């Protein structure tokens, strides 16, 4: 690969200064997404929305975010990457202020949609800036810094969101974005410079007419927008029994069937699907999808488990994730260093095996676990993430020409977001359906013909009488208590099923590693 410029891409300034500056807004965007999940009920009450209506606060953001992600490389080339990045930060910041000041649900949904448009371009633009600022042998360390934003932010988001909503109000989860966004725009405008190769690519784009691939934009918006709504609403609306979900699924499939052949024929496609013809990039994208699938689904499952079945409040449930997040903070720089010494695919292979067995280890969970037991499960699950995320991001650019950096960044981040959305949707369905299945099986044993059941029921009734319940009320109370225990055990079993499936998926798909390209030894930046 023609390597990106090292220090010269950052002008006379340190590449690490540039990396830190462009990480600020991305961290803010990823953090805000997980905080919003925790504060959903509070937002619904603040704008007078029902629980079902409130889910659109999340869905609206995810839809517009998914639409912008794949075309962000195209927009960065057309507008200029620095200008595009600053515009995304400014749009996200203004929309955040609008969200905080929204008096009703329609206004909040509109601001969330605008916020999603701005947020969708942040991660791809940052990633391509890092790829063009550091030489190949230093990219692992740069992507380690980037990895801190997308791995740590989801971990500390629930705890921070719980603390903010418990001690202040939901408006502050958006208001805190305003000073951060203003600071980011200022720092980027002063310190970040456009590499010569990026400027030359934009000149060629404009010289060729700079035409907009409107058909590609429209098809991508239809396909990805429909997909995101289906993923977010499938469990809530009872899957394909819902006419809306069915229609949107058909729309999504049709959109993709039209998008792929159309974009393959375009000179400047809005979504450069031809990159997936590169074996190494395709493998990196699929593994990134899998990593996001497991990371974000478990990030959703653990707080649900601890709040619904173990009585944790939002802040304490979030802290179980934060403990794992702090573990990744210490490991991430080590992974960044090793990328330059060890072939990325060997690091990925080892990390996938560790993650798979850690997920299988979580199937030993039980309701009597302590806070630190839950935290240890999380640490084991995420401690290998730096050895996945950093080398995957690094390996994705191996063999790609410099003028494809923007498009590659857009697509690899699209795969990350799709993996997160699909993972959350699928695992929520597994938990919901699994709880129903296990409850029906456990109820079959709740019979007078089962001596274990009758003995437990007798002991529960006796304990209630000793606690002051009258003899007439004790049988019904004991039966109700046993029913609650059956329901709780069914839910625990459904979570165990989810972790078992995730672990098996990771262990089965490890051969994808061998499709990836090897990092050239002694690669030196050649400049643009």
């Amino acid at each position: 690969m023609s390597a990106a410029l090292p220090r010269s891409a950052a002008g006379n300034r340190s590449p690490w200064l540039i990396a830190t500056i462009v990480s600020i807004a991305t961290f803010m965007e990823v953090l805000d997404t997980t905080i919003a999940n925790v504060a959903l009920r509070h937002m619904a009450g603040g704008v007078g929305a029902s629980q079902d209506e409130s889910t659109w606060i999340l869905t609206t953001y995810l839809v517009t975010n998914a639409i912008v992600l794949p075309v962000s490389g195209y927009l960065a080339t057309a507008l200029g990457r620095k200008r595009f990045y600053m515009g995304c930060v400014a749009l996200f910041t203004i929309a955040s202020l609008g969200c905080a000041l929204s008096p009703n649900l329609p206004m909040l949904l509109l601001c969330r949609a605008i916020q999603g448009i701005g947020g969708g371009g942040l991660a791809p633009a940052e990633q391509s800036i890092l790829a063009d600022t550091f030489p190949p042998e230093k990219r692992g360390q740069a992507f380690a810094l980037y990895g801190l934003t997308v791995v740590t932010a989801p971990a500390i988001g629930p705890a921070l969101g719980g603390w903010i909503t418990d001690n202040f109000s939901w408006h502050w989860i958006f208001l805190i974005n305003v000073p951060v966004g203003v600071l980011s725009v200022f720092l980027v405008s002063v310190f970040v410079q456009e590499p010569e190769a990026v400027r030359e690519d934009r000149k060629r784009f404009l010289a060729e007419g700079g035409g907009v691939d409107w058909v590609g934009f429209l098809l991508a918006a239809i396909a990805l927008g429909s997909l995101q709504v289906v993923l977010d609403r499938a469990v809530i609306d009872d899957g394909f029994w819902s006419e809306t979900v069915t229609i949107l699924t058909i729309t999504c499939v049709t959109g993709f069937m039209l998008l792929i052949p159309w974009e393959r024929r375009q000179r400047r496609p809005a979504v450069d699907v031809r990159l997936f013809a590169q074996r190494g990039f395709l493998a990196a994208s699929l593994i990134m999808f899998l990593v996001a699938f497991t990371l974000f689904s478990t990030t959703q499952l653990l707080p649900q488990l601890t709040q619904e079945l173990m009585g944790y409040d939002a802040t304490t449930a979030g802290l179980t994730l934060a403990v794992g997040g702090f573990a990744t903070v210490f490991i991430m720089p080590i992974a960044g260093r090793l990328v330059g010494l060890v072939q990325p695919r060997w690091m990925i292979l080892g990390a996938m095996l560790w993650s798979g067995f850690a997920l299988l280890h979580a199937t030993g969970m039980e309701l009597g676990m302590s806070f630190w037991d839950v935290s240890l499960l999380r640490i084991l699950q995420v401690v290998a993430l730096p050895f996945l995320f950093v080398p995957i991001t690094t390996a994705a650019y191996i063999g790609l020409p410099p003028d494809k950096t923007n498009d590659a960044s857009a697509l690899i981040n699209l795969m990350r977001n799709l993996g997160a959305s699909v993972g959350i949707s699928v695992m929520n369905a597994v938990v919901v359906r699994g709880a129903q299945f296990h409850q029906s099986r456990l109820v079959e044993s709740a019979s007078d013909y089962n001596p274990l059941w009758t003995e437990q029921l007798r002991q529960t009734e006796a304990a209630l009488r000793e606690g002051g319940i009258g003899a007439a009320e004790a049988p019904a109370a004991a039966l109700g208590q046993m029913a609650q225990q059956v329901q709780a055990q069914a839910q625990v079993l459904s979570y165990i099923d989810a972790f078992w499936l995730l672990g098996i998926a990771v262990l089965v798909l490890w051969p994808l590693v061998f499709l990836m390209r090897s990092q050239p030894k002694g690669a030196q930046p050649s400049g643009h």
Side-chain angles (χ1 to χ4, degrees):
M1 174 180 178
S2 296
L5 290 177
R7 195 178 184 89
S8 58
N12 296 320
R13 301 177 179 90
S14 166
W16 289 108
L17 175 64
I18 303 305
T20 303
I21 288 172
V22 297
S23 294
I24 293 174
T26 306
F27 184 84
M28 171 184 69
E29 188 266 336
V30 179
L31 183 69
D32 190 77
T33 303
T34 53
I35 289 179
N37 293 342
V38 174
L40 188 60
R41 293 181 182 177
H42 298 268
M43 286 190 282
V47 296
S50 67
Q51 190 62 36
D52 184 59
E53 291 173 332
S54 68
T55 59
W56 285 104
I57 298 173
L58 303 180
T59 303
T60 304
Y61 178 88
L62 293 173
V63 168
T64 54
N65 191 272
I67 290 171
V68 171
L69 259 174
V71 299
S72 60
Y74 182 91
L75 293 174
T77 301
L79 302 175
R81 191 166 61 198
K82 178 180 175 179
R83 188 180 295 110
F84 173 69
Y85 183 77
M86 291 175 61
C88 287
V89 177
L91 195 62
F92 185 88
T93 304
I94 294 170
S96 295
L97 179 61
C99 289
L101 301 178
S102 295
N104 51 52
L105 182 62
M107 180 60 70
L108 179 57
L109 294 181
L110 174 63
C111 292
R112 284 287 283 172
I114 298 172
Q115 195 184 37
I117 293 172
L122 292 179
E126 179 195 346
Q127 200 166 311
S128 57
I129 289 172
L130 293 178
D132 278 346
T133 301
F134 288 80
E137 66 272 16
K138 295 290 186 181
R139 280 187 189 152
Q141 298 174 42
F143 287 136
L145 178 62
Y146 170 73
L148 289 177
T149 65
V150 297
V151 173
T152 308
I156 67 174
L160 180 60
W163 182 79
I164 290 174
T165 52
D166 289 342
N167 294 279
F168 299 96
S169 74
W170 65 267
H171 302 83
W172 282 98
I173 70 174
F174 297 115
L175 288 174
I176 59 175
N177 294 336
V178 177
V180 177
V182 171
L183 176 64
S184 176
V185 170
F186 171 75
L187 292 176
V188 171
S189 66
V190 173
F191 292 100
V192 176
Q193 297 181 15
E194 203 86 287
E196 182 63 29
V198 175
R199 292 197 296 268
E200 290 298 325
D201 190 38
R202 182 166 183 262
K203 288 178 181 178
R204 287 195 300 270
F205 174 81
L206 296 176
E208 293 168 1
V212 179
D213 178 19
W214 290 112
V215 175
F217 269 114
L218 181 61
L219 291 175
I222 291 173
L224 291 167
S226 300
L227 175 61
Q228 190 61 64
V229 175
V230 168
L231 292 173
D232 209 48
R233 302 291 301 182
V235 175
I236 299 173
D237 295 341
D238 205 20
F240 291 112
W241 292 107
S242 165
E243 183 178 350
T244 301
V245 171
T246 302
I247 292 173
L248 287 176
T249 301
I250 295 171
T251 303
C252 171
V253 173
T254 304
F256 277 116
M257 290 176 64
L258 296 174
L259 174 68
I260 295 172
W262 173 267
E263 295 295 66
R264 290 184 64 184
R265 294 194 300 267
Q266 303 307 304
R267 180 178 176 83
R268 285 280 188 173
V271 183
D272 196 352
V273 296
R274 289 171 295 202
L275 284 174
F276 290 118
Q278 300 272 352
R279 187 190 70 187
F281 183 79
L282 175 62
S285 298
L286 292 175
I287 297 175
M288 179 63 82
F289 180 93
L290 178 64
V291 170
F293 189 105
T294 56
L295 170 63
F296 286 91
S297 60
T298 54
T299 300
Q300 179 100 344
L301 291 177
L302 271 181
Q304 282 182 193
L305 170 67
T306 53
Q307 289 182 81
E308 292 177 1
L309 301 178
M310 300 174 68
Y312 287 22
D313 58 25
T315 303
T316 307
L319 285 174
T320 61
L321 300 182
V323 172
F326 288 125
T328 61
V329 169
F330 291 107
I331 299 295
M332 195 70 76
I334 299 174
R337 290 280 184 181
L338 286 178
V339 167
L341 303 174
V342 182
Q343 283 290 342
R345 60 183 179 181
W346 296 122
M347 292 178 62
I348 295 169
L349 176 59
M352 286 183 72
L353 293 175
W354 175 285
S355 297
F357 286 114
L359 289 165
L360 292 180
H361 174 71
T363 59
M365 67 176 65
E366 55 186 31
L367 289 178
M369 293 187 300
S370 69
F371 171 87
W372 290 111
D373 290 331
V374 179
S375 298
L376 179 60
L377 290 180
R378 184 60 177 175
I379 291 173
L380 292 174
Q381 290 166 22
V382 302
V383 73
L385 275 177
F387 301 102
L388 282 168
F389 190 85
V390 177
I392 291 171
T393 309
T394 304
Y397 295 93
I398 297 175
L400 297 182
D403 60 353
K404 294 297 182 183
T405 300
N406 287 338
D407 294 306
S409 299
L411 290 178
I412 200 74
N413 279 279
L414 172 65
M415 296 302 287
R416 177 175 62 84
N417 273 32
L418 286 180
S421 297
V422 175
I424 290 171
S425 179
V426 170
M427 288 300 108
N428 275 339
V430 167
V431 169
V432 171
R433 306 301 182 200
Q436 296 170 351
F437 169 77
H438 287 297
Q439 185 168 349
S440 65
R441 294 300 300 272
L442 290 173
V443 167
E444 292 174 2
S445 302
S447 165
D448 291 339
Y449 299 102
N450 185 339
L452 293 176
W453 168 264
T454 54
E455 176 61 21
Q456 185 64 41
L457 186 62
R458 185 190 64 77
Q459 291 179 6
T460 303
E461 183 178 337
L464 289 173
R465 286 180 177 178
E466 291 179 5
I469 301 295
E473 295 84 9
L479 189 60
Q481 193 174 101
M482 290 288 289
Q484 290 178 349
Q485 293 179 17
V486 167
Q487 186 177 26
Q489 288 298 324
Q491 288 180 285
V492 171
L493 289 172
S494 70
Y495 282 103
I496 289 174
D497 290 344
F499 281 99
W500 184 85
L501 288 172
L502 288 170
I504 293 298
V506 173
L507 293 176
V508 166
L509 295 176
W510 64 264
L512 285 172
V513 171
F514 294 103
L515 295 177
M516 303 179 75
R517 289 178 177 267
S518 298
Q519 174 75 49
K521 292 184 178 180
Q524 294 298 325
S526 60
H528 292 314

